[in-house]
Amino acid sequence: VFVLLISKALTEPPPQGTVETVRRADELRKRQDTTQEQPETEEVPAGPTARVLTAPVLAASEIAVSGGSPKQEDRWAVEQIAARATSLLAHLAVVSGLWFLGKRLFGDVNSGLAMATLYLLLPCTAIDVGKVNHVLPAALIVWAFVAYRSPLIAGGLMGLACGTLMFPLFLLPLWAVFYGKQG
């Protein structure tokens, strides 16, 4: 199922919001001023965490396309590769996190494999395969659940998830209640 997901992500153009996130990651890497008016897109680009996590993928894409210093005409290819690679890595993080969560939390590898398979079989996963803005927070939240026994790591991952989009902020009260009961 993951191979089918990859083939769909590679054949379809990435969403405009994902490409905009990659562009902003490139501006962040080059330390350019982004306070000027940004072009309007139909999808809101992800927050600063997504830009920071996309920057290494962008650098690897530049190396893959043109050996580290892309020409202006290669810029489009670098952005497309980085956008697709970021979304695929985020999906891989969700799948591996679900598998590891089942193994570690439930003590059963098969339940983790079942959770990962059900995630891959969801229609919304295939429809929004390229939207990093939706998948990256989910990956960070899943890994926060994996690391729930280490509150510092889990809190850091939840903080990173909150830095991508706004919806993980609504999980913070639940997170505080869980750790408040733990002492």
Side-chain angles (χ1 to χ4, degrees), residues 128-151:
D128 293 339
V129 70
K131 292 188 177 181
V132 171
N133 307 353
H134 296 175
V135 181
L136 192 58
L140 293 167
I141 291 170
V142 166
W143 278 99
F145 279 116
V146 170
Y148 82 97
R149 290 186 181 142
S150 303

Side-chain angles (χ1 to χ4, degrees), residues 5-15 80 83-84 87 125-131:
L5 193 73
I6 289 172
S7 65
K8 184 173 189 230
L10 293 178
T11 56
E12 290 185 355
Q80 296 292 312
R84 290 177 176 148
S87 66
T125 303
I127 291 170
D128 293 339
V129 70
K131 292 188 177 181

Side-chain angles (χ1 to χ4, degrees), residues 50-128:
R51 296 175 206 157
V52 170
L53 295 176
T54 302
V57 178
L58 184 63
S61 300
E62 286 178 353
I63 292 171
V65 169
S66 60
S69 56
K71 300 174 189 113
Q72 190 61 31
E73 58 268 8
D74 292 338
R75 199 77 227 143
W76 182 84
V78 169
E79 288 175 355
Q80 296 292 312
I81 291 171
R84 290 177 176 148
T86 304
S87 66
L88 289 177
L89 288 173
H91 281 292
L92 184 62
V94 170
V95 169
S96 62
L98 288 172
W99 176 80
F100 201 77
L101 185 66
K103 177 183 173 189
R104 193 162 178 211
L105 186 64
F106 302 123
D108 185 20
V109 176
N110 291 330
S111 65
L113 187 61
M115 287 189 295
T117 304
L118 287 175
Y119 167 76
L120 290 171
L121 289 175
L122 283 173
C124 60
T125 303
I127 291 170
D128 293 339

